[in-house]
Amino acid sequence: MVRVNTRDEILRVAAEQFAHTGYKGTSLQDIAAEVGCSKATLLYHFASKDAILAELTAPAASELAELVAALEPLDDDAAQAAAIEGFVDLVLRHRREAALVYSGIPKFITEPAFAGLLPHTEALCAAFAGRSAAVAACVAAEVVLTGIVTVVIDTDRDAAELRAALIGVARRALLSPSDSPHDKD
């Protein structure tokens, strides 16, 4: 018989419940009951529901920080291309975490565990926009970022095909109007 670590079991159950009933719809008592422990035991391992979420999303948040750091020295066009591919790959690797965090960004940005998420998301969005301050470029970047997350978390399509399609769509959507082949006729 395999002995399961209580902390790991709490994380596993919490991830399932957050995915099934949402972060807001899941209570600490729900998680503890499913794990088969008391709420006090759960609180021994995690100080709060936010702490559980922070633990679940830590690997994805770390990768996002690494992606943003890798974009910094690149010129605008290279940063945009690397941001698109890097973010698509990150979201494909961390579908569940992306669903949890990006569906609740307004609430989570005030939590200390997620303090770095908003600046990283803003830097990624700027890279998607080719570091342009133009309203159209910024709006397109926000739409594409949100669309990538939405599509990835709401599908069971083959990851390789999905990756190619998302990168292609993102590149087409983020071309500036002056780069569009239709404007050169």
Side-chain angles (χ1 to χ4, degrees):
M1 182 172 164
V2 176
R3 187 164 190 264
V4 177
N5 179 311
T6 302
R7 183 179 177 84
D8 292 342
E9 185 64 5
I10 290 168
L11 289 171
R12 185 191 67 75
V13 168
E16 288 176 2
Q17 290 199 1
F18 292 163
H20 187 266
T21 58
Y23 179 81
K24 288 182 181 181
T26 302
S27 71
L28 290 176
Q29 186 58 49
D30 295 336
I31 297 167
E34 181 69 23
V35 170
C37 70
S38 68
K39 186 174 174 182
T41 298
L42 185 146
L43 290 169
Y44 170 79
H45 291 282
F46 296 96
S48 66
K49 190 165 68 164
D50 287 344
I52 295 170
L53 183 62
E55 180 82 15
L56 287 170
T57 59
S62 177
E63 285 185 39
L64 178 60
E66 291 170 10
L67 173 60
V68 168
L71 299 174
E72 287 177 14
L74 301 177
D75 69 41
D76 298 346
D77 291 337
Q80 184 180 48
I84 292 167
E85 289 191 27
F87 187 67
V88 167
D89 290 341
L90 189 151
V91 174
L92 283 170
R93 274 191 307 278
H94 299 284
R95 289 179 189 219
R96 178 186 69 202
E97 294 85 350
L100 291 172
V101 172
Y102 283 95
S103 65
I105 278 184
K107 184 238 187 276
F108 297 131
I109 60 171
T110 62
E111 299 299 325
F114 298 97
L117 186 61
L118 186 60
H120 292 318
T121 300
E122 289 171 347
L124 184 65
C125 194
F128 263 63
R131 298 189 179 125
S132 169
V135 172
C138 294
V139 168
E142 290 174 19
V143 168
V144 170
L145 273 167
T146 303
I148 289 169
V149 172
T150 302
V151 168
V152 168
I153 64 176
D154 287 339
T155 188
D156 58 357
R157 291 186 177 115
D158 175 73
E161 288 180 283
L162 187 57
R163 180 185 189 276
L166 286 169
I167 289 170
V169 167
R171 285 180 178 153
R172 286 190 301 277
L174 295 172
L175 282 174
S176 69
S178 62
D179 292 337
S180 173
H182 301 292
D183 292 345
K184 295 182 181 181
D185 293 340

